[in-house]
Amino acid sequence: MSNTVYVLNGPNLNLLGLREPEIYGSNTLDDVAAMLEDRAQDLDLRVDVRQSNHEGHILDWMHEAFAEDARAIILNAGALTHTSIALYDAIKAITVPVIEVHISDPTTREEFRHISYVGMAAAHTIQGHGVKGYVEALEYIAAL
Ligand code: CA2
């Protein structure tokens, strides 16, 4: 098994820190990548942080993580969380543990965010802890 953790971010997360700071805070995705790289060093892990607005890219990256025998996947699938059975199937199909992360807590927001297909298949979920939830997910993976 490699020591690489894929950190996959779905639709609109390229806007992190630039829009809706009252919900998602003011850190950008580059800031999150820097935080994770920092923590990964201490934990003897490597992070590969990616973002796409296209569901197929996220699916292809999950398959890549499986083919590369990655340590784990941290997945913030954005709104695809609440719609994508394809992501559910991908998580079930691969043996790489998937940790679901949400910056906000979708269960306290609009009802359409209350279902998580990702969460139905993921090994663990961290939500509502802001961007530090990504670092917590990395620590969780290091302890597996
Ligand atoms: O809280 C989260 O991390 C979410 O996954 C974010 C998604 C939302 O659809 C989920 O319900 C919960 C939305 C991503 C939109 O990303 C933006 C980030 C900053 C500013 C604007 C949009």
Side-chain angles (χ1 to χ4, degrees), residues 47-125:
V47 287
D48 189 334
V49 182
R50 304 181 189 183
Q51 187 276 332
S52 177
N53 292 323
H54 304 278
E55 184 173 8
H57 289 164
I58 310 281
L59 289 165
D60 288 346
W61 291 338
M62 293 177 74
H63 297 178
E64 178 187 313
F66 180 46
E68 297 292 326
D69 206 14
R71 176 73 72 94
I73 298 170
I74 296 174
L75 176 61
N76 184 347
L80 294 173
T81 302
H82 317 299
T83 62
S84 177
I85 296 169
L87 281 178
Y88 172 93
D89 285 342
I91 297 168
K92 287 286 192 186
I94 64 178
T95 52
V96 181
V98 174
I99 314 304
E100 176 187 31
V101 167
H102 298 289
I103 299 161
S104 66
D105 181 353
T107 66
T108 62
R109 298 179 62 193
E110 303 96 324
E111 196 158 349
F112 59 79
R113 298 185 200 276
H114 293 187
I115 279 194
S116 170
Y117 291 106
V118 168
M120 287 178 203
H124 187 61
T125 297

Coordinates of all heavy atoms in Angstrom, one line a residue, residues 47-125:
V47 N -0.1 13.8 0.5 CA -1.5 14.1 0.0 C -1.4 14.6 -1.4 O -0.5 15.2 -1.9 CB -2.2 15.2 0.9 CG1 -2.6 14.7 2.3 CG2 -1.3 16.5 1.1
D48 N -2.5 14.2 -2.1 CA -2.6 14.6 -3.5 C -4.0 15.3 -3.6 O -5.1 14.6 -3.6 CB -2.6 13.4 -4.4 CG -2.5 13.7 -5.9 OD1 -3.0 14.8 -6.3 OD2 -2.0 12.9 -6.6
V49 N -4.0 16.6 -3.6 CA -5.3 17.4 -3.5 C -5.8 17.8 -4.9 O -5.0 18.4 -5.6 CB -5.1 18.7 -2.6 CG1 -6.4 19.4 -2.4 CG2 -4.5 18.3 -1.2
R50 N -7.0 17.4 -5.2 CA -7.6 17.7 -6.5 C -9.0 18.2 -6.4 O -9.7 18.0 -5.4 CB -7.6 16.5 -7.4 CG -6.3 15.8 -7.5 CD -6.4 14.6 -8.4 NE -5.1 13.8 -8.4 CZ -4.9 12.7 -9.1 NH1 -5.8 12.2 -9.9 NH2 -3.7 12.1 -9.0
Q51 N -9.4 19.0 -7.4 CA -10.8 19.5 -7.4 C -11.3 19.4 -8.8 O -10.6 19.7 -9.8 CB -10.9 21.0 -6.9 CG -12.3 21.5 -6.7 CD -12.9 22.1 -8.0 OE1 -12.2 22.5 -8.9 NE2 -14.2 22.1 -8.1
S52 N -12.6 19.0 -9.0 CA -13.2 19.1 -10.3 C -14.7 19.4 -10.2 O -15.3 19.0 -9.2 CB -13.1 17.7 -11.0 OG -13.7 17.8 -12.3
N53 N -15.2 20.1 -11.2 CA -16.6 20.3 -11.3 C -17.4 19.2 -12.0 O -18.6 19.3 -12.3 CB -16.9 21.7 -11.9 CG -16.4 22.8 -11.0 OD1 -16.5 22.7 -9.8 ND2 -15.8 23.8 -11.6
H54 N -16.6 18.1 -12.4 CA -17.2 17.1 -13.2 C -17.2 15.8 -12.5 O -16.2 15.3 -12.1 CB -16.4 17.0 -14.5 CG -16.3 18.3 -15.3 ND1 -17.3 18.7 -16.1 CD2 -15.4 19.2 -15.2 CE1 -17.0 19.9 -16.5 NE2 -15.8 20.3 -16.0
E55 N -18.4 15.2 -12.4 CA -18.6 13.9 -11.6 C -17.6 12.8 -12.2 O -17.0 12.1 -11.4 CB -20.0 13.5 -11.7 CG -20.4 12.3 -11.0 CD -21.9 12.0 -11.0 OE1 -22.6 12.7 -11.7 OE2 -22.3 11.1 -10.2
G56 N -17.5 12.7 -13.5 CA -16.7 11.7 -14.1 C -15.2 11.8 -13.7 O -14.6 10.7 -13.5
H57 N -14.7 13.0 -13.5 CA -13.4 13.1 -13.1 C -13.2 12.6 -11.7 O -12.2 11.9 -11.4 CB -12.9 14.6 -13.0 CG -12.8 15.2 -14.4 ND1 -12.7 16.6 -14.6 CD2 -12.6 14.7 -15.6 CE1 -12.6 16.9 -15.9 NE2 -12.5 15.7 -16.5
I58 N -14.2 12.8 -10.8 CA -14.1 12.3 -9.4 C -14.1 10.8 -9.4 O -13.3 10.2 -8.8 CB -15.3 12.8 -8.5 CG1 -15.5 14.4 -8.7 CG2 -15.1 12.4 -7.1 CD1 -14.6 15.2 -7.9
L59 N -15.0 10.2 -10.3 CA -15.0 8.8 -10.4 C -13.7 8.2 -10.9 O -13.2 7.2 -10.3 CB -16.2 8.4 -11.3 CG -17.6 8.6 -10.7 CD1 -18.7 8.6 -11.8 CD2 -17.9 7.6 -9.6
D60 N -13.2 8.8 -11.9 CA -11.9 8.3 -12.5 C -10.8 8.4 -11.5 O -9.9 7.5 -11.4 CB -11.5 9.2 -13.8 CG -12.4 8.9 -15.0 OD1 -13.1 7.9 -14.9 OD2 -12.4 9.7 -15.9
W61 N -10.8 9.5 -10.7 CA -9.7 9.6 -9.7 C -9.9 8.6 -8.6 O -8.9 8.1 -8.0 CB -9.7 11.0 -9.1 CG -9.3 12.1 -10.0 CD1 -8.5 11.9 -11.2 CD2 -9.6 13.5 -10.0 NE1 -8.4 13.1 -11.8 CE2 -9.0 14.1 -11.1 CE3 -10.3 14.3 -9.1 CZ2 -9.1 15.5 -11.3 CZ3 -10.4 15.7 -9.3 CH2 -9.8 16.2 -10.5
M62 N -11.1 8.2 -8.3 CA -11.3 7.2 -7.3 C -10.8 5.8 -7.8 O -10.1 5.1 -7.1 CB -12.8 7.1 -6.9 CG -13.2 8.3 -6.1 SD -15.0 8.3 -5.7 CE -15.0 7.2 -4.4
H63 N -11.1 5.6 -9.1 CA -10.6 4.3 -9.7 C -9.0 4.4 -9.7 O -8.4 3.3 -9.5 CB -11.1 4.2 -11.1 CG -12.6 4.0 -11.1 ND1 -13.3 3.9 -12.3 CD2 -13.5 3.9 -10.1 CE1 -14.6 3.7 -12.0 NE2 -14.7 3.8 -10.7
E64 N -8.5 5.5 -10.0 CA -7.0 5.7 -10.0 C -6.4 5.4 -8.6 O -5.4 4.7 -8.5 CB -6.6 7.1 -10.5 CG -5.2 7.4 -10.5 CD -4.8 8.9 -10.7 OE1 -5.4 9.5 -11.7 OE2 -4.0 9.4 -10.0
A65 N -7.1 5.9 -7.6 CA -6.6 5.7 -6.2 C -6.6 4.2 -5.9 O -5.6 3.7 -5.3 CB -7.5 6.4 -5.2
F66 N -7.6 3.5 -6.4 CA -7.7 2.0 -6.2 C -6.5 1.3 -7.0 O -5.8 0.5 -6.4 CB -9.0 1.6 -6.7 CG -9.3 0.1 -6.6 CD1 -9.0 -0.6 -5.4 CD2 -9.8 -0.6 -7.6 CE1 -9.2 -2.0 -5.3 CE2 -10.1 -2.0 -7.5 CZ -9.8 -2.7 -6.4
A67 N -6.4 1.7 -8.2 CA -5.3 1.1 -9.1 C -3.9 1.4 -8.5 O -3.0 0.5 -8.6 CB -5.4 1.6 -10.5
E68 N -3.7 2.5 -7.9 CA -2.4 2.9 -7.3 C -2.3 2.4 -5.9 O -1.3 2.8 -5.2 CB -2.3 4.5 -7.3 CG -2.3 5.1 -8.7 CD -1.0 4.7 -9.6 OE1 0.0 4.6 -8.9 OE2 -1.2 4.6 -10.8
D69 N -3.3 1.7 -5.4 CA -3.2 1.2 -4.0 C -3.0 2.3 -3.0 O -2.1 2.2 -2.1 CB -2.1 0.1 -3.9 CG -2.3 -0.9 -2.8 OD1 -3.5 -0.9 -2.3 OD2 -1.4 -1.6 -2.4
A70 N -3.7 3.4 -3.2 CA -3.6 4.5 -2.3 C -4.0 4.1 -0.8 O -4.7 3.2 -0.6 CB -4.5 5.7 -2.7
R71 N -3.5 4.9 0.1 CA -3.8 4.6 1.6 C -5.3 4.9 1.9 O -5.9 4.1 2.6 CB -2.9 5.5 2.4 CG -3.2 5.4 3.9 CD -2.6 4.1 4.5 NE -1.2 4.2 4.5 CZ -0.5 4.6 5.6 NH1 -1.1 5.0 6.7 NH2 0.9 4.6 5.5
A72 N -5.8 6.0 1.3 CA -7.2 6.3 1.6 C -7.6 7.5 0.7 O -6.7 8.1 0.0 CB -7.3 6.8 3.1
I73 N -8.9 7.8 0.7 CA -9.4 8.9 0.0 C -10.2 9.8 1.0 O -11.0 9.3 1.7 CB -10.4 8.5 -1.2 CG1 -9.6 7.6 -2.2 CG2 -11.0 9.7 -1.8 CD1 -10.6 7.0 -3.2
I74 N -9.9 11.1 1.0 CA -10.7 12.1 1.7 C -11.6 12.7 0.6 O -11.1 13.2 -0.4 CB -9.8 13.1 2.4 CG1 -9.0 12.5 3.5 CG2 -10.7 14.3 3.0 CD1 -8.0 13.5 4.1
L75 N -12.9 12.6 0.8 CA -13.8 13.0 -0.3 C -14.8 14.0 0.2 O -15.6 13.7 1.1 CB -14.6 11.8 -0.8 CG -15.6 12.0 -1.9 CD1 -15.0 12.7 -3.1 CD2 -16.4 10.7 -2.2
N76 N -14.7 15.3 -0.3 CA -15.8 16.2 -0.2 C -16.4 16.4 -1.6 O -15.9 17.1 -2.4 CB -15.3 17.6 0.3 CG -16.4 18.5 0.6 OD1 -17.6 18.3 0.1 ND2 -16.1 19.7 1.2
A77 N -17.5 15.6 -1.8 CA -18.1 15.6 -3.1 C -19.0 16.7 -3.4 O -19.6 16.8 -4.5 CB -18.8 14.2 -3.3
G78 N -19.0 17.7 -2.5 CA -19.9 18.9 -2.7 C -21.3 18.4 -2.9 O -21.7 17.4 -2.2
A79 N -22.1 19.0 -3.7 CA -23.5 18.7 -3.9 C -23.7 17.3 -4.5 O -24.8 16.7 -4.3 CB -24.2 19.7 -4.7
L80 N -22.7 16.7 -5.1 CA -22.8 15.3 -5.6 C -23.1 14.3 -4.5 O -23.6 13.3 -4.7 CB -21.6 14.9 -6.4 CG -21.3 15.7 -7.7 CD1 -19.9 15.3 -8.2 CD2 -22.3 15.4 -8.7
T81 N -22.7 14.7 -3.3 CA -22.9 13.9 -2.1 C -24.4 13.5 -2.0 O -24.7 12.4 -1.6 CB -22.6 14.8 -0.8 OG1 -21.3 15.3 -0.9 CG2 -22.9 14.1 0.5
H82 N -25.3 14.4 -2.4 CA -26.7 14.3 -2.1 C -27.4 13.7 -3.3 O -28.6 13.5 -3.3 CB -27.3 15.6 -1.7 CG -26.5 16.4 -0.8 ND1 -26.2 15.9 0.5 CD2 -25.8 17.6 -0.8 CE1 -25.4 16.8 1.1 NE2 -25.2 17.8 0.3
T83 N -26.7 13.4 -4.4 CA -27.4 13.0 -5.7 C -26.8 11.8 -6.3 O -27.4 11.2 -7.1 CB -27.3 14.2 -6.7 OG1 -25.9 14.4 -7.0 CG2 -28.0 15.4 -6.3
S84 N -25.5 11.5 -6.0 CA -24.8 10.6 -6.9 C -24.7 9.1 -6.4 O -23.9 8.8 -5.5 CB -23.3 11.1 -7.1 OG -22.6 10.2 -7.9
I85 N -25.5 8.3 -7.0 CA -25.5 6.8 -6.7 C -24.2 6.3 -7.4 O -23.6 5.3 -6.9 CB -26.7 6.1 -7.2 CG1 -27.9 6.7 -6.4 CG2 -26.6 4.6 -7.1 CD1 -29.3 6.3 -6.9
A86 N -23.7 7.0 -8.4 CA -22.4 6.5 -9.0 C -21.3 6.6 -8.0 O -20.4 5.7 -8.0 CB -22.1 7.4 -10.3
L87 N -21.3 7.7 -7.2 CA -20.2 7.8 -6.2 C -20.4 6.7 -5.1 O -19.4 6.1 -4.7 CB -20.2 9.2 -5.6 CG -19.6 10.3 -6.4 CD1 -19.7 11.6 -5.6 CD2 -18.1 10.0 -6.6
Y88 N -21.6 6.4 -4.7 CA -21.9 5.4 -3.8 C -21.3 4.0 -4.3 O -20.6 3.3 -3.6 CB -23.4 5.2 -3.6 CG -23.9 4.1 -2.8 CD1 -24.0 4.1 -1.4 CD2 -24.1 2.8 -3.4 CE1 -24.4 3.0 -0.6 CE2 -24.5 1.7 -2.7 CZ -24.7 1.8 -1.3 OH -25.1 0.7 -0.6
D89 N -21.7 3.8 -5.6 CA -21.2 2.5 -6.2 C -19.7 2.4 -6.3 O -19.1 1.4 -6.0 CB -21.7 2.4 -7.7 CG -23.2 2.0 -7.7 OD1 -23.7 1.5 -6.7 OD2 -23.9 2.2 -8.8
A90 N -19.0 3.6 -6.6 CA -17.6 3.6 -6.7 C -16.9 3.3 -5.3 O -16.0 2.5 -5.2 CB -17.1 5.0 -7.2
I91 N -17.5 3.9 -4.3 CA -16.9 3.7 -2.9 C -17.1 2.2 -2.5 O -16.2 1.6 -2.0 CB -17.6 4.6 -1.9 CG1 -17.4 6.1 -2.2 CG2 -17.2 4.3 -0.5 CD1 -18.3 7.1 -1.4
K92 N -18.2 1.6 -2.9 CA -18.5 0.2 -2.6 C -17.5 -0.7 -3.4 O -17.1 -1.8 -3.0 CB -19.9 -0.2 -2.9 CG -20.9 0.4 -1.9 CD -20.8 -0.4 -0.6 CE -22.0 -0.1 0.3 NZ -21.9 -0.7 1.6
A93 N -17.2 -0.2 -4.6 CA -16.4 -1.1 -5.6 C -15.0 -1.1 -5.2 O -14.3 -2.1 -5.6 CB -16.6 -0.6 -7.0
I94 N -14.4 -0.1 -4.6 CA -13.0 -0.1 -4.3 C -12.7 -0.5 -2.9 O -13.6 -0.3 -2.0 CB -12.4 1.3 -4.7 CG1 -12.9 2.4 -3.7 CG2 -12.6 1.7 -6.1 CD1 -12.3 3.8 -4.0
T95 N -11.5 -0.9 -2.6 CA -11.2 -1.3 -1.3 C -10.5 -0.2 -0.5 O -10.2 -0.4 0.7 CB -10.3 -2.6 -1.3 OG1 -9.2 -2.3 -2.1 CG2 -11.0 -3.8 -1.8
V96 N -10.2 0.9 -1.1 CA -9.6 2.0 -0.5 C -10.6 2.7 0.5 O -11.7 3.0 0.0 CB -9.1 3.1 -1.5 CG1 -8.4 4.2 -0.9 CG2 -8.2 2.4 -2.6
P97 N -10.2 2.9 1.7 CA -11.2 3.5 2.6 C -11.4 5.0 2.2 O -10.5 5.7 1.9 CB -10.5 3.5 4.0 CG -9.1 3.0 3.8 CD -9.0 2.5 2.4
V98 N -12.7 5.3 2.2 CA -13.1 6.7 1.9 C -13.6 7.4 3.1 O -14.6 6.9 3.8 CB -14.2 6.7 0.8 CG1 -14.7 8.1 0.5 CG2 -13.6 6.0 -0.5
I99 N -13.1 8.6 3.4 CA -13.5 9.4 4.5 C -14.2 10.6 4.0 O -13.7 11.4 3.2 CB -12.3 9.9 5.4 CG1 -11.3 8.7 5.7 CG2 -12.8 10.5 6.7 CD1 -11.9 7.5 6.4
E100 N -15.5 10.7 4.3 CA -16.3 11.8 3.8 C -16.1 13.0 4.7 O -16.1 12.9 5.9 CB -17.8 11.4 3.9 CG -18.8 12.5 3.5 CD -20.2 12.1 3.8 OE1 -20.5 11.3 4.7 OE2 -21.1 12.5 3.0
V101 N -15.9 14.2 4.0 CA -15.7 15.4 4.8 C -16.6 16.5 4.2 O -16.8 16.6 3.0 CB -14.2 16.0 4.7 CG1 -14.1 17.4 5.2 CG2 -13.3 15.1 5.5
H102 N -17.3 17.2 5.1 CA -18.0 18.4 4.7 C -17.6 19.6 5.7 O -17.5 19.4 6.9 CB -19.5 18.2 4.8 CG -20.0 17.1 3.9 ND1 -20.0 17.3 2.5 CD2 -20.4 15.9 4.2 CE1 -20.4 16.2 2.0 NE2 -20.6 15.3 2.9
I103 N -17.4 20.7 5.1 CA -17.0 21.9 5.8 C -18.1 22.3 6.7 O -18.0 22.6 7.9 CB -16.5 23.0 4.9 CG1 -15.4 22.5 4.0 CG2 -16.2 24.3 5.6 CD1 -15.1 23.3 2.8
S104 N -19.3 22.4 6.1 CA -20.5 22.8 6.9 C -21.1 21.5 7.4 O -20.6 20.4 7.1 CB -21.5 23.5 6.0 OG -22.0 22.7 5.0
D105 N -22.2 21.6 8.1 CA -23.0 20.4 8.6 C -24.2 20.3 7.7 O -25.2 21.0 8.0 CB -23.3 20.4 10.0 CG -24.0 19.2 10.5 OD1 -24.4 18.3 9.6 OD2 -24.2 19.0 11.7
P106 N -24.2 19.5 6.7 CA -25.4 19.5 5.8 C -26.7 19.0 6.5 O -27.8 19.4 6.0 CB -25.0 18.4 4.7 CG -23.5 18.3 4.8 CD -23.2 18.6 6.2
T107 N -26.6 18.3 7.6 CA -27.8 17.8 8.3 C -28.6 18.9 9.0 O -29.7 18.7 9.4 CB -27.5 16.7 9.3 OG1 -26.7 17.2 10.3 CG2 -26.7 15.5 8.6
T108 N -27.9 20.1 9.2 CA -28.6 21.2 9.8 C -29.0 22.3 8.8 O -29.4 23.4 9.1 CB -27.7 21.9 10.9 OG1 -26.6 22.4 10.2 CG2 -27.3 20.9 11.9
R109 N -28.8 21.9 7.5 CA -29.2 22.9 6.4 C -30.4 22.5 5.7 O -31.3 21.8 6.3 CB -27.9 23.0 5.5 CG -26.7 23.6 6.3 CD -25.5 23.7 5.4 NE -25.7 24.7 4.3 CZ -24.9 24.8 3.3 NH1 -23.8 24.0 3.2 NH2 -25.2 25.6 2.3
E110 N -30.6 22.9 4.4 CA -31.8 22.5 3.7 C -32.0 21.0 3.7 O -31.1 20.3 3.6 CB -31.7 23.0 2.3 CG -31.5 24.5 2.1 CD -30.0 24.8 1.9 OE1 -29.1 24.1 2.5 OE2 -29.7 25.8 1.1
E111 N -33.3 20.6 3.6 CA -33.6 19.2 3.7 C -33.0 18.4 2.5 O -32.6 17.2 2.7 CB -35.2 19.0 3.6 CG -35.5 17.6 4.1 CD -37.0 17.6 4.6 OE1 -37.6 18.6 4.8 OE2 -37.4 16.4 4.7
F112 N -32.8 19.1 1.4 CA -32.2 18.3 0.2 C -30.8 17.9 0.5 O -30.2 17.1 -0.2 CB -32.4 19.0 -1.1 CG -31.7 20.4 -1.1 CD1 -30.4 20.6 -1.3 CD2 -32.5 21.6 -1.0 CE1 -29.8 21.8 -1.4 CE2 -31.9 22.8 -1.1 CZ -30.6 23.0 -1.3
R113 N -30.2 18.5 1.6 CA -28.8 18.1 1.9 C -28.7 17.0 3.0 O -27.7 16.6 3.4 CB -28.0 19.3 2.4 CG -27.9 20.4 1.4 CD -27.0 21.5 2.0 NE -27.2 22.8 1.3 CZ -26.6 23.1 0.1 NH1 -25.7 22.3 -0.4 NH2 -26.9 24.2 -0.5
H114 N -29.9 16.5 3.4 CA -29.9 15.6 4.5 C -29.5 14.2 4.1 O -29.1 13.4 5.0 CB -31.2 15.6 5.3 CG -31.5 16.9 6.0 ND1 -32.6 17.1 6.8 CD2 -30.8 18.1 5.9 CE1 -32.5 18.4 7.2 NE2 -31.5 19.0 6.7
I115 N -29.8 13.8 2.8 CA -29.3 12.5 2.4 C -27.9 12.6 1.9 O -27.6 13.5 1.1 CB -30.3 12.0 1.2 CG1 -31.5 11.4 1.8 CG2 -29.6 11.0 0.4 CD1 -32.4 10.6 0.9
S116 N -27.1 11.6 2.3 CA -25.7 11.5 1.7 C -25.5 10.1 1.2 O -25.3 9.2 1.9 CB -24.7 11.9 2.8 OG -23.4 11.5 2.3
Y117 N -25.5 10.0 -0.2 CA -25.1 8.7 -0.8 C -23.7 8.4 -0.5 O -23.3 7.2 -0.3 CB -25.4 8.8 -2.3 CG -26.9 8.8 -2.6 CD1 -27.4 10.0 -3.1 CD2 -27.7 7.7 -2.4 CE1 -28.8 10.1 -3.3 CE2 -29.1 7.8 -2.6 CZ -29.6 9.0 -3.1 OH -30.9 9.1 -3.4
V118 N -22.8 9.4 -0.4 CA -21.4 9.2 -0.1 C -21.3 8.6 1.4 O -20.6 7.6 1.6 CB -20.6 10.5 -0.2 CG1 -19.2 10.3 0.5 CG2 -20.5 10.9 -1.6
G119 N -22.1 9.2 2.3 CA -22.0 8.7 3.7 C -22.5 7.3 3.9 O -22.1 6.6 4.8
M120 N -23.4 6.9 3.0 CA -24.0 5.5 3.1 C -22.9 4.5 2.8 O -23.1 3.3 3.2 CB -25.2 5.3 2.1 CG -26.4 6.1 2.6 SD -27.7 5.8 1.3 CE -28.7 7.3 1.7
A121 N -21.9 4.9 2.1 CA -20.8 3.9 1.7 C -19.5 4.2 2.4 O -18.6 3.3 2.5 CB -20.6 3.9 0.2
A122 N -19.3 5.4 2.9 CA -18.0 5.8 3.4 C -17.6 5.1 4.7 O -18.5 4.7 5.5 CB -17.9 7.4 3.6
A123 N -16.3 5.0 5.0 CA -15.9 4.4 6.2 C -16.1 5.3 7.4 O -16.3 4.8 8.6 CB -14.4 4.1 6.1
H124 N -16.1 6.6 7.2 CA -16.2 7.6 8.3 C -16.6 8.9 7.7 O -16.3 9.2 6.6 CB -14.9 7.7 9.0 CG -14.9 8.5 10.2 ND1 -15.6 8.2 11.3 CD2 -14.2 9.6 10.6 CE1 -15.4 9.1 12.3 NE2 -14.6 10.0 11.9
T125 N -17.3 9.7 8.5 CA -17.7 11.1 8.1 C -17.3 12.1 9.1 O -17.5 11.9 10.3 CB -19.3 11.1 7.9 OG1 -19.6 10.2 6.9 CG2 -19.8 12.5 7.5

